[in-house]
Amino acid sequence: QQQVKQSPQSLIVQKGGISIINCAYENTAFDYFPWYQQFPGKGPALLIAIRPDVSEKKEGRFTISFNKSAKQFSLHIMDSQPGDSATYFCAASMNSGYSTLTFGKGTMLLVSP
Amino acid sequence: EADIYQTPRYLVIGTGKKITLECSQTMGHDKMYWYQQDPGMELHLIHYSYGVNSTEKGDLSSESTVSRIRTEHFPLTLESARPSHTSQYLCASSEVSTYEQYFGPGTRLTVT
């Protein structure tokens, strides 16, 4: 049973475009929703995270949109750059961090020059 | 930048060999984790620890074992490597009451 479903599996965006990756979750007890970015040969690194008490969080070109009623959240990358080409993972956790992270299957993003 | 280290980075080993993948962190984090990841694929939690002398199995069944004798060290051992163990192994750590996990660079294991 996959508790966090991520789509699309891969995405190609032109430089300057908007990249959008979506995730849906099932467990309403989740209270923390991070996005991780992973470059080839590296471990994932936290990019941005949101709690369910807000609907949107923005950090630079990266924005998380959160829809609690639909149990969905998405990552938007504005003005996508070739350096953003990486694999992106959404995740979810609960219990103030005492539980583990549940990851989505990942989205491989390629930003073409 | 997170101070979490994994050695070796790459390992090619024959079937039946015993191997230990090392993971160390200098952040004083109590929680540590091991994930298995096939290239470009999702992360599967195989072991985690809340602190010294604490170890738990993760969501993915694994033939590996772990130990946590020191806070900063969380090694993973395969008693008898098999080709099905070929994968990337990622170590991570976090504070007990926070969500953010810091990942190491990974060990890419190939069993021939």
Side-chain angles (χ1 to χ4, degrees):
Chain A
Q1 179 187 4
Q2 187 188 3
Q3 295 194 57
V4 179
K5 295 184 179 180
Q6 183 172 347
S7 62
Q9 187 174 356
S10 63
L11 181 62
I12 300 175
V13 174
Q14 285 195 331
K15 178 182 176 181
I18 302 173
S19 304
I20 302 174
I21 305 171
N22 301 298
C23 281
Y25 62 97
E26 300 166 6
N27 191 340
T28 55
F30 286 142
D31 60 2
Y32 173 74
F33 303 90
W35 285 90
Y36 279 79
Q37 179 188 55
Q38 184 179 26
F39 293 105
K42 304 283 188 181
L46 179 66
L47 185 63
I48 187 172
I50 197 168
R51 299 285 183 98
D53 53 346
V54 297
S55 60
E56 186 176 281
K57 182 174 181 180
K58 184 176 181 179
E59 291 184 3
R61 296 185 294 109
F62 301 91
T63 300
I64 297 180
S65 296
F66 185 81
N67 186 329
K68 188 174 182 178
S69 61
K71 293 187 287 185
Q72 294 176 346
F73 58 109
S74 59
L75 176 69
H76 296 239
I77 306 175
M78 311 300 288
D79 187 27
S80 299
Q81 299 297 312
D84 297 330
S85 297
T87 299
Y88 292 82
F89 294 93
C90 63
S93 186
M94 56 186 171
N95 295 336
S96 299
Y98 284 94
S99 68
T100 58
L101 281 171
T102 299
F103 283 89
K105 290 191 173 184
T107 296
M108 195 174 300
L109 171 66
L110 176 64
V111 181
S112 59
Chain B
E1 188 167 325
D3 296 322
I4 182 164
Y5 309 98
Q6 291 185 242
T7 57
R9 292 293 315 278
Y10 304 92
L11 179 62
V12 180
I13 200 164
T15 297
K17 298 292 186 181
K18 177 180 179 179
I19 58 171
T20 296
L21 307 185
E22 302 288 348
C23 177
S24 295
Q25 50 96 6
T26 59
M27 297 171 283
H29 288 167
D30 286 313
K31 288 186 78 172
M32 296 189 74
Y33 314 80
W34 277 102
Y35 292 88
Q36 186 173 341
Q37 181 187 36
D38 291 325
M41 303 292 286
E42 64 186 306
L43 288 81
H44 295 284
L45 181 66
I46 50 176
H47 297 282
Y48 61 102
S49 166
Y50 286 109
V52 172
N53 294 325
S54 155
T55 60
E56 305 285 343
K57 290 188 180 295
D59 305 321
L60 182 68
S61 175
S62 174
E63 295 167 340
S64 58
T65 59
V66 292
S67 62
R68 190 86 183 275
I69 299 173
R70 303 199 314 265
T71 298
E72 63 272 21
H73 194 215
F74 191 40
L76 180 144
T77 298
L78 279 166
E79 290 293 332
S80 180
R82 297 209 304 265
S84 61
H85 297 140
T86 295
S87 189
Q88 172 159 263
Y89 293 84
L90 289 162
C91 180
S93 71
S94 69
E95 296 180 13
V96 170
S97 59
T98 63
Y99 295 98
E100 183 175 359
Q101 294 185 18
Y102 295 88
F103 283 83
T107 293
R108 185 168 297 281
L109 173 66
T110 301
V111 183
T112 60

mmCIF file of all heavy atoms in Angstrom, chain B residues 60-89:
data_model
loop_
_atom_site.group_PDB
_atom_site.id
_atom_site.type_symbol
_atom_site.label_atom_id
_atom_site.label_comp_id
_atom_site.label_asym_id
_atom_site.label_seq_id
_atom_site.Cartn_x
_atom_site.Cartn_y
_atom_site.Cartn_z
ATOM 1 N N LEU B 60 10.621 -1.998 4.291
ATOM 2 C CA LEU B 60 11.062 -2.994 3.318
ATOM 3 C C LEU B 60 11.842 -4.077 4.037
ATOM 4 O O LEU B 60 12.795 -3.805 4.769
ATOM 5 C CB LEU B 60 11.951 -2.344 2.252
ATOM 6 C CG LEU B 60 12.457 -3.269 1.141
ATOM 7 C CD1 LEU B 60 11.305 -3.717 0.261
ATOM 8 C CD2 LEU B 60 13.518 -2.565 0.293
ATOM 9 N N SER B 61 11.406 -5.300 3.838
ATOM 10 C CA SER B 61 12.106 -6.419 4.441
ATOM 11 C C SER B 61 13.527 -6.494 3.893
ATOM 12 O O SER B 61 13.751 -6.375 2.700
ATOM 13 C CB SER B 61 11.366 -7.721 4.129
ATOM 14 O OG SER B 61 12.088 -8.828 4.616
ATOM 15 N N SER B 62 14.468 -6.681 4.774
ATOM 16 C CA SER B 62 15.863 -6.703 4.352
ATOM 17 C C SER B 62 16.609 -7.801 5.085
ATOM 18 O O SER B 62 16.310 -8.102 6.238
ATOM 19 C CB SER B 62 16.514 -5.350 4.635
ATOM 20 O OG SER B 62 17.892 -5.385 4.374
ATOM 21 N N GLU B 63 17.579 -8.403 4.416
ATOM 22 C CA GLU B 63 18.404 -9.426 5.036
ATOM 23 C C GLU B 63 19.594 -8.816 5.759
ATOM 24 O O GLU B 63 20.430 -9.534 6.286
ATOM 25 C CB GLU B 63 18.858 -10.429 3.970
ATOM 26 C CG GLU B 63 17.690 -11.193 3.370
ATOM 27 C CD GLU B 63 18.062 -11.955 2.116
ATOM 28 O OE1 GLU B 63 19.092 -11.613 1.500
ATOM 29 O OE2 GLU B 63 17.330 -12.872 1.744
ATOM 30 N N SER B 64 19.657 -7.519 5.799
ATOM 31 C CA SER B 64 20.754 -6.847 6.477
ATOM 32 C C SER B 64 20.446 -6.674 7.960
ATOM 33 O O SER B 64 19.295 -6.801 8.390
ATOM 34 C CB SER B 64 20.994 -5.473 5.837
ATOM 35 O OG SER B 64 19.815 -4.698 5.910
ATOM 36 N N THR B 65 21.479 -6.367 8.720
ATOM 37 C CA THR B 65 21.333 -6.057 10.138
ATOM 38 C C THR B 65 22.065 -4.752 10.427
ATOM 39 O O THR B 65 22.953 -4.345 9.674
ATOM 40 C CB THR B 65 21.906 -7.169 11.034
ATOM 41 O OG1 THR B 65 23.295 -7.338 10.732
ATOM 42 C CG2 THR B 65 21.161 -8.468 10.822
ATOM 43 N N VAL B 66 21.678 -4.099 11.506
ATOM 44 C CA VAL B 66 22.318 -2.847 11.914
ATOM 45 C C VAL B 66 22.641 -2.899 13.395
ATOM 46 O O VAL B 66 22.120 -3.740 14.130
ATOM 47 C CB VAL B 66 21.427 -1.623 11.634
ATOM 48 C CG1 VAL B 66 21.261 -1.394 10.148
ATOM 49 C CG2 VAL B 66 20.065 -1.789 12.310
ATOM 50 N N SER B 67 23.492 -1.999 13.819
ATOM 51 C CA SER B 67 23.803 -1.847 15.231
ATOM 52 C C SER B 67 23.966 -0.370 15.539
ATOM 53 O O SER B 67 24.267 0.431 14.650
ATOM 54 C CB SER B 67 25.087 -2.612 15.590
ATOM 55 O OG SER B 67 26.192 -2.087 14.879
ATOM 56 N N ARG B 68 23.766 0.010 16.785
ATOM 57 C CA ARG B 68 23.923 1.409 17.187
ATOM 58 C C ARG B 68 24.552 1.416 18.573
ATOM 59 O O ARG B 68 23.889 1.511 19.591
ATOM 60 C CB ARG B 68 22.544 2.103 17.212
ATOM 61 C CG ARG B 68 22.647 3.595 17.373
ATOM 62 C CD ARG B 68 22.827 4.304 16.074
ATOM 63 N NE ARG B 68 23.004 5.732 16.234
ATOM 64 C CZ ARG B 68 22.005 6.614 16.340
ATOM 65 N NH1 ARG B 68 20.749 6.179 16.352
ATOM 66 N NH2 ARG B 68 22.263 7.888 16.445
ATOM 67 N N ILE B 69 25.853 1.333 18.569
ATOM 68 C CA ILE B 69 26.608 1.314 19.817
ATOM 69 C C ILE B 69 27.031 2.729 20.220
ATOM 70 O O ILE B 69 27.151 3.044 21.413
ATOM 71 C CB ILE B 69 27.837 0.388 19.684
ATOM 72 C CG1 ILE B 69 27.386 -1.037 19.382
ATOM 73 C CG2 ILE B 69 28.681 0.408 20.949
ATOM 74 C CD1 ILE B 69 28.525 -1.979 19.069
ATOM 75 N N ARG B 70 27.233 3.558 19.219
ATOM 76 C CA ARG B 70 27.583 4.966 19.472
ATOM 77 C C ARG B 70 26.592 5.852 18.733
ATOM 78 O O ARG B 70 26.099 5.497 17.666
ATOM 79 C CB ARG B 70 29.006 5.263 18.988
ATOM 80 C CG ARG B 70 30.075 4.384 19.595
ATOM 81 C CD ARG B 70 31.458 5.001 19.443
ATOM 82 N NE ARG B 70 31.724 5.521 18.106
ATOM 83 C CZ ARG B 70 32.342 4.846 17.150
ATOM 84 N NH1 ARG B 70 32.709 3.602 17.363
ATOM 85 N NH2 ARG B 70 32.589 5.404 15.990
ATOM 86 N N THR B 71 26.333 7.007 19.278
ATOM 87 C CA THR B 71 25.366 7.931 18.676
ATOM 88 C C THR B 71 25.711 8.259 17.234
ATOM 89 O O THR B 71 24.836 8.326 16.369
ATOM 90 C CB THR B 71 25.293 9.242 19.489
ATOM 91 O OG1 THR B 71 24.837 8.954 20.802
ATOM 92 C CG2 THR B 71 24.352 10.246 18.825
ATOM 93 N N GLU B 72 26.996 8.451 16.972
ATOM 94 C CA GLU B 72 27.394 8.956 15.664
ATOM 95 C C GLU B 72 27.569 7.877 14.607
ATOM 96 O O GLU B 72 27.809 8.191 13.444
ATOM 97 C CB GLU B 72 28.707 9.746 15.799
ATOM 98 C CG GLU B 72 29.909 8.927 16.264
ATOM 99 C CD GLU B 72 30.038 8.865 17.769
ATOM 100 O OE1 GLU B 72 29.027 9.095 18.472
ATOM 101 O OE2 GLU B 72 31.148 8.570 18.253
ATOM 102 N N HIS B 73 27.433 6.610 14.968
ATOM 103 C CA HIS B 73 27.804 5.530 14.070
ATOM 104 C C HIS B 73 26.648 4.535 13.905
ATOM 105 O O HIS B 73 26.084 4.078 14.918
ATOM 106 C CB HIS B 73 29.047 4.837 14.640
ATOM 107 C CG HIS B 73 29.739 3.944 13.673
ATOM 108 N ND1 HIS B 73 30.351 2.768 14.062
ATOM 109 C CD2 HIS B 73 29.947 4.053 12.343
ATOM 110 C CE1 HIS B 73 30.883 2.186 13.005
ATOM 111 N NE2 HIS B 73 30.659 2.942 11.956
ATOM 112 N N PHE B 74 26.324 4.183 12.658
ATOM 113 C CA PHE B 74 25.178 3.303 12.399
ATOM 114 C C PHE B 74 25.517 2.378 11.225
ATOM 115 O O PHE B 74 25.035 2.560 10.112
ATOM 116 C CB PHE B 74 23.944 4.162 12.089
ATOM 117 C CG PHE B 74 22.632 3.427 12.060
ATOM 118 C CD1 PHE B 74 22.323 2.443 12.978
ATOM 119 C CD2 PHE B 74 21.660 3.765 11.115
ATOM 120 C CE1 PHE B 74 21.094 1.793 12.965
ATOM 121 C CE2 PHE B 74 20.423 3.120 11.091
ATOM 122 C CZ PHE B 74 20.139 2.137 12.012
ATOM 123 N N PRO B 75 26.331 1.371 11.441
ATOM 124 C CA PRO B 75 26.750 0.501 10.345
ATOM 125 C C PRO B 75 25.676 -0.511 9.947
ATOM 126 O O PRO B 75 24.881 -0.958 10.775
ATOM 127 C CB PRO B 75 27.973 -0.215 10.914
ATOM 128 C CG PRO B 75 27.741 -0.214 12.397
ATOM 129 C CD PRO B 75 27.005 1.060 12.703
ATOM 130 N N LEU B 76 25.694 -0.874 8.681
ATOM 131 C CA LEU B 76 24.767 -1.868 8.133
ATOM 132 C C LEU B 76 25.588 -3.052 7.631
ATOM 133 O O LEU B 76 26.568 -2.854 6.911
ATOM 134 C CB LEU B 76 23.944 -1.246 6.999
ATOM 135 C CG LEU B 76 22.919 -2.124 6.310
ATOM 136 C CD1 LEU B 76 21.685 -1.317 5.921
ATOM 137 C CD2 LEU B 76 23.498 -2.790 5.065
ATOM 138 N N THR B 77 25.174 -4.248 8.001
ATOM 139 C CA THR B 77 25.935 -5.451 7.655
ATOM 140 C C THR B 77 25.093 -6.438 6.862
ATOM 141 O O THR B 77 23.927 -6.677 7.194
ATOM 142 C CB THR B 77 26.456 -6.151 8.930
ATOM 143 O OG1 THR B 77 27.334 -5.266 9.623
ATOM 144 C CG2 THR B 77 27.207 -7.430 8.583
ATOM 145 N N LEU B 78 25.702 -6.960 5.813
ATOM 146 C CA LEU B 78 25.122 -8.074 5.057
ATOM 147 C C LEU B 78 26.010 -9.287 5.312
ATOM 148 O O LEU B 78 27.193 -9.273 4.971
ATOM 149 C CB LEU B 78 25.080 -7.760 3.570
ATOM 150 C CG LEU B 78 23.923 -6.901 3.071
ATOM 151 C CD1 LEU B 78 24.201 -6.407 1.659
ATOM 152 C CD2 LEU B 78 22.632 -7.710 3.104
ATOM 153 N N GLU B 79 25.465 -10.319 5.936
ATOM 154 C CA GLU B 79 26.275 -11.486 6.304
ATOM 155 C C GLU B 79 26.729 -12.276 5.077
ATOM 156 O O GLU B 79 27.828 -12.817 5.038
ATOM 157 C CB GLU B 79 25.483 -12.404 7.235
ATOM 158 C CG GLU B 79 25.250 -11.830 8.620
ATOM 159 C CD GLU B 79 26.539 -11.690 9.421
ATOM 160 O OE1 GLU B 79 27.498 -12.456 9.187
ATOM 161 O OE2 GLU B 79 26.592 -10.797 10.293
ATOM 162 N N SER B 80 25.864 -12.345 4.065
ATOM 163 C CA SER B 80 26.191 -13.105 2.861
ATOM 164 C C SER B 80 25.576 -12.397 1.659
ATOM 165 O O SER B 80 24.379 -12.531 1.405
ATOM 166 C CB SER B 80 25.650 -14.534 2.984
ATOM 167 O OG SER B 80 25.963 -15.281 1.822
ATOM 168 N N ALA B 81 26.399 -11.624 0.961
ATOM 169 C CA ALA B 81 25.880 -10.806 -0.130
ATOM 170 C C ALA B 81 25.390 -11.670 -1.294
ATOM 171 O O ALA B 81 25.979 -12.704 -1.617
ATOM 172 C CB ALA B 81 26.958 -9.846 -0.605
ATOM 173 N N ARG B 82 24.305 -11.211 -1.900
ATOM 174 C CA ARG B 82 23.733 -11.861 -3.088
ATOM 175 C C ARG B 82 23.502 -10.822 -4.170
ATOM 176 O O ARG B 82 23.369 -9.624 -3.878
ATOM 177 C CB ARG B 82 22.404 -12.524 -2.733
ATOM 178 C CG ARG B 82 22.488 -13.641 -1.715
ATOM 179 C CD ARG B 82 21.383 -14.649 -1.961
ATOM 180 N NE ARG B 82 20.074 -14.023 -1.943
ATOM 181 C CZ ARG B 82 19.294 -13.973 -0.883
ATOM 182 N NH1 ARG B 82 19.720 -14.509 0.252
ATOM 183 N NH2 ARG B 82 18.112 -13.423 -0.938
ATOM 184 N N PRO B 83 23.428 -11.246 -5.440
ATOM 185 C CA PRO B 83 23.173 -10.273 -6.523
ATOM 186 C C PRO B 83 21.911 -9.447 -6.286
ATOM 187 O O PRO B 83 21.859 -8.284 -6.717
ATOM 188 C CB PRO B 83 23.039 -11.173 -7.752
ATOM 189 C CG PRO B 83 23.933 -12.342 -7.454
ATOM 190 C CD PRO B 83 23.756 -12.579 -5.978
ATOM 191 N N SER B 84 20.914 -9.987 -5.607
ATOM 192 C CA SER B 84 19.687 -9.225 -5.338
ATOM 193 C C SER B 84 19.928 -8.059 -4.381
ATOM 194 O O SER B 84 19.073 -7.174 -4.255
ATOM 195 C CB SER B 84 18.606 -10.138 -4.758
ATOM 196 O OG SER B 84 19.045 -10.709 -3.537
ATOM 197 N N HIS B 85 21.080 -8.034 -3.722
ATOM 198 C CA HIS B 85 21.426 -6.921 -2.835
ATOM 199 C C HIS B 85 22.034 -5.747 -3.589
ATOM 200 O O HIS B 85 22.289 -4.689 -2.999
ATOM 201 C CB HIS B 85 22.397 -7.383 -1.751
ATOM 202 C CG HIS B 85 21.812 -8.420 -0.832
ATOM 203 N ND1 HIS B 85 22.538 -9.504 -0.382
ATOM 204 C CD2 HIS B 85 20.587 -8.524 -0.271
ATOM 205 C CE1 HIS B 85 21.771 -10.242 0.405
ATOM 206 N NE2 HIS B 85 20.584 -9.666 0.493
ATOM 207 N N THR B 86 22.268 -5.929 -4.875
ATOM 208 C CA THR B 86 22.816 -4.838 -5.683
ATOM 209 C C THR B 86 21.854 -3.656 -5.678
ATOM 210 O O THR B 86 20.695 -3.779 -6.069
ATOM 211 C CB THR B 86 23.058 -5.308 -7.125
ATOM 212 O OG1 THR B 86 24.084 -6.312 -7.124
ATOM 213 C CG2 THR B 86 23.479 -4.146 -8.014
ATOM 214 N N SER B 87 22.335 -2.508 -5.196
ATOM 215 C CA SER B 87 21.486 -1.337 -5.046
ATOM 216 C C SER B 87 22.329 -0.184 -4.510
ATOM 217 O O SER B 87 23.526 -0.328 -4.268
ATOM 218 C CB SER B 87 20.343 -1.636 -4.069
ATOM 219 O OG SER B 87 19.392 -0.590 -4.070
ATOM 220 N N GLN B 88 21.685 0.951 -4.321
ATOM 221 C CA GLN B 88 22.321 2.050 -3.601
ATOM 222 C C GLN B 88 21.740 2.086 -2.190
ATOM 223 O O GLN B 88 20.529 1.959 -2.016
ATOM 224 C CB GLN B 88 22.092 3.388 -4.293
ATOM 225 C CG GLN B 88 22.585 4.579 -3.466
ATOM 226 C CD GLN B 88 22.842 5.824 -4.263
ATOM 227 O OE1 GLN B 88 23.976 6.099 -4.633
ATOM 228 N NE2 GLN B 88 21.800 6.577 -4.528
ATOM 229 N N TYR B 89 22.625 2.270 -1.216
ATOM 230 C CA TYR B 89 22.216 2.332 0.177
ATOM 231 C C TYR B 89 22.505 3.738 0.709
ATOM 232 O O TYR B 89 23.631 4.223 0.666
ATOM 233 C CB TYR B 89 22.945 1.265 0.994
ATOM 234 C CG TYR B 89 22.514 -0.126 0.597
ATOM 235 C CD1 TYR B 89 23.101 -0.766 -0.496
ATOM 236 C CD2 TYR B 89 21.499 -0.783 1.274
ATOM 237 C CE1 TYR B 89 22.680 -2.037 -0.892
ATOM 238 C CE2 TYR B 89 21.070 -2.047 0.897
ATOM 239 C CZ TYR B 89 21.661 -2.665 -0.195
ATOM 240 O OH TYR B 89 21.243 -3.917 -0.582
#
